[in-house]
Amino acid sequence: MTRTQVVIVGAGPSGLLLSQLLDREGIATIVLERQAQRYVEARIRAGLLEQGTVDLLIEAGVGERLQRECLVHDGFEMAFEGRVHRIDLKGLAGKQVTIYGQTEIQKDLGDARLAAGSDLRYEASNVAIHDFGGARPRVTFIHQGRPQELECDFVAGCDGYHGVCRASVPADAVRTYERVYPFGWLGIIANVRPVAHELVYANHERGFALCSMRSSGRVRYYVQCPLEDKVEDWSDDRFWDELARRLPAEHATRIQTGPSVEKSIAPLRSFVAEPMRFGRLLLAGDAAHIVPPTGAKGLNLAVSDVFYLHEALRDFYRERAERPLEEYSGRCLRRIWKAERFSWWMTQQLHRFPGDAFAARMQETELQYLFESVAAQTSLAENYVGLPLEYSHDSRRTHAAA
Ligand code: FAD
Ligand code: PHB
């Protein structure tokens, strides 16, 4: 049986970043991933990074291409009732946001792990975790056709919402909170010029639309759609037509159309599992929580969990300190719940929820108030750019706030 210090289940951004940070502390990891590397690196997901996320990626040694290729935005636009309002993030909250695709982060992390000669096993099936209530957890799996077993000090559950780690915890040890929204997002990628320099979020009577981007020549656009819709229901022409109808005229006339290079539908969900530590099993990222993408918080939360987790493990190996491990769940959850609140609020304000006339008037009033009130815009900006990380007392990092 092979021994290592930390077995990481999942090679998404959480798992690879944790492996990268622990490696820099001299802590040995083995990463087990169910999918093939090509599949993991092609998944189109997040695109908007908080400054704290960018700082941590740079500190982890994977920020070089990010800094060269990213776009930095000082604000974003919100369209409602035919008018466009700009939220001045830099002016109101003193911070900017960064556009850089999760696919690129995934590649940068994958390359860095490969260069470091790390033990990363793709296409590992039947992963099962055992004995995490004691001091010697074990992980069994099948890799390259052979059953294998690892013994470790800790298991990091970085295996996303559908992973095996949270599912292995006894039902009475975990409490979950959930809200499923009655619609999805149809998203496309196309190699065309963005409609605007910054992101545009639109609340329209036909439903929500978002114009995001990956670069000055590649857009990521979304429209709210019924949950029952299938990608095949949406030809490119239908998508471009629907997007144009939902945007105010000044943006609609600037849409540059082109063939989609990716098209997918994602359901929207809020979900939190508490706690995030079960003995020697620690969950991080989407394995423990999901936010609807409206607030662009999912990847950013995964990164802040990993920051806290690497600190706790670092302190354990340096000085056998148990306290940071005990505090891990609470530190993460304080930040997670605030991001859950913000993502729920953004989703509530920007989508159309059919059949509730009172809620529709509340939404209309909330948006009118937001556009008239600098205080309300400041609150939105403060949350959108990302709330600060809590630093442990002995953290070597000197940032006042991430
Ligand atoms: P994942 O990326 O889900 O990685 C988990 C990994 O574990 C996967 O590779 C999976 O294959 C593997 N795995 C699962 N089960 C097993 C198993 N049994 N054994 C081994 N491996 C396993 N977030 C933002 O911050 N900003 C945004 O702009 C944003 N936009 C988004 C847009 C969309 C359309 C979507 C769907 C999400 C968006 N997100 C955004 C959320 C963000 O993509 C996720 O929060 C992020 O991917 C979480 O990373 P993770 O590593 O925790 O989980
Ligand atoms: C994205 O670019 O995919 C994106 C950006 C902002 C959001 C959600 C998704 O709020």
Side-chain angles (χ1 to χ4, degrees):
M1 186 181 346
T2 309
R3 247 203 79 73
T4 190
Q5 288 175 304
V6 182
V7 171
I8 299 173
V9 184
S14 303
L16 289 190
L17 180 60
L18 182 63
S19 171
Q20 175 78 0
L21 290 170
L22 292 180
D23 189 20
R24 292 164 80 85
E25 300 291 344
I27 299 167
T29 64
I30 295 177
V31 182
L32 304 178
E33 165 62 48
R34 184 170 53 186
Q35 303 286 356
Q37 180 168 8
R38 215 170 330 112
Y39 177 90
V40 172
E41 290 185 353
R43 275 186 313 215
I44 307 285
R45 293 238 189 112
L48 189 127
L49 309 180
E50 299 171 358
Q51 190 57 46
T53 299
V54 172
D55 290 346
L56 190 64
L57 291 170
I58 294 170
E59 194 169 310
V62 288
E64 196 264 328
R65 191 163 71 97
L66 186 163
Q67 285 172 290
R68 209 162 8 98
E69 296 182 6
C70 74
L71 301 174
V72 177
H73 288 176
D74 291 346
F76 66 87
E77 294 181 342
M78 290 175 95
F80 182 57
E81 294 178 331
R83 292 182 49 211
V84 179
H85 308 261
R86 181 167 184 272
I87 304 295
D88 177 7
L89 296 172
K90 196 168 176 209
L92 294 165
K95 286 186 191 163
Q96 298 158 302
V97 289
T98 296
I99 298 291
Y100 189 69
Q102 182 170 327
T103 40
E104 307 313 308
I105 295 177
Q106 188 79 42
K107 282 183 209 138
D108 295 344
L109 281 166
D111 289 349
R113 297 317 300 133
L114 201 68
S118 71
D119 192 340
L120 222 168
R121 305 189 194 176
Y122 288 98
E123 298 179 73
S125 60
N126 293 43
V127 172
I129 59 174
H130 314 272
D131 305 338
F132 51 84
R136 284 274 170 273
R138 288 176 306 111
V139 181
T140 54
F141 58 102
I142 296 174
H143 190 235
Q144 295 174 339
R146 282 189 300 120
Q148 310 207 14
E149 183 165 353
L150 302 174
E151 192 185 70
C152 56
D153 300 326
F154 295 96
V155 177
C158 298
D159 50 348
Y161 180 68
H162 299 288
V164 66
C165 290
R166 191 185 70 250
S168 304
V169 174
D172 60 357
V174 60
R175 173 139 195 217
T176 60
Y177 302 82
E178 186 167 34
R179 171 141 315 174
V180 177
Y181 300 89
F183 41 72
W185 278 19
L186 169 71
I188 70 151
I189 295 258
N191 292 322
V192 296
R193 166 176 46 76
V195 287
H197 167 63
E198 296 174 336
L199 269 55
V200 182
Y201 294 81
N203 174 332
H204 186 269
E205 62 188 24
R206 296 180 66 87
F208 168 79
L210 167 59
C211 297
S212 181
M213 63 192 78
R214 291 293 176 267
S215 69
S216 56
R218 174 168 266 222
V219 298
R220 177 66 163 155
Y221 290 162
Y222 300 96
V223 292
Q224 173 182 349
C225 68
L227 267 179
E228 311 75 50
D229 278 16
K230 303 266 169 291
V231 170
E232 304 77 68
D233 301 333
W234 286 85
S235 65
D236 286 356
D237 285 347
R238 181 176 172 208
F239 180 87
W240 291 118
D241 181 55
E242 188 60 38
L243 181 71
R245 287 168 174 236
R246 295 184 190 190
L247 293 183
E250 63 189 272
H251 291 319
T253 52
R254 287 179 52 83
I255 295 176
Q256 192 185 11
T257 61
S260 62
V261 293
E262 198 265 356
K263 196 184 282 164
S264 52
I265 294 182
L268 269 70
R269 178 192 304 275
S270 298
F271 173 85
V272 182
E274 290 185 334
M276 290 167 61
R277 178 196 175 196
F278 308 88
R280 293 291 184 102
L281 167 66
L282 300 115
L283 304 180
D286 280 17
H289 44 78
I290 296 288
V291 284
T294 329
K297 292 288 168 232
L299 175 60
N300 292 297
L301 275 184
V303 167
S304 55
D305 288 356
V306 165
F307 170 73
Y308 294 140
L309 182 50
H310 110 278
E311 277 204 337
L313 291 169
R314 178 199 70 197
D315 293 351
F316 175 84
Y317 284 108
R318 269 196 200 157
E319 46 208 75
R320 294 284 139 187
E322 291 279 351
R323 197 145 151 217
L325 286 168
E326 284 155 17
E327 289 174 349
Y328 169 69
S329 195
R331 282 178 93 193
C332 289
L333 285 162
R334 280 191 287 282
R335 192 165 198 278
I336 289 161
W337 275 112
K338 290 183 199 117
E340 289 282 347
R341 182 204 72 81
F342 176 66
S343 304
W344 162 84
W345 180 85
M346 282 282 276
T347 304
Q348 206 70 32
Q349 301 323 320
L350 291 173
H351 294 77
R352 291 297 165 128
F353 292 76
D356 188 340
F358 180 79
R361 292 306 293 263
M362 284 295 114
Q363 185 193 68
E364 191 183 315
T365 309
E366 180 92 26
L367 288 172
Q368 281 162 0
Y369 167 66
L370 174 69
F371 301 137
E372 287 157 9
S373 163
V374 176
Q377 287 172 34
T378 305
S379 166
L380 165 56
E382 177 183 49
N383 282 276
Y384 191 88
V385 300
L387 297 174
L389 283 167
E390 280 176 32
Y391 288 99
S392 63
H393 303 302
D394 64 342
S395 173
R396 290 164 307 138
R397 285 161 57 97
T398 50
H399 302 59

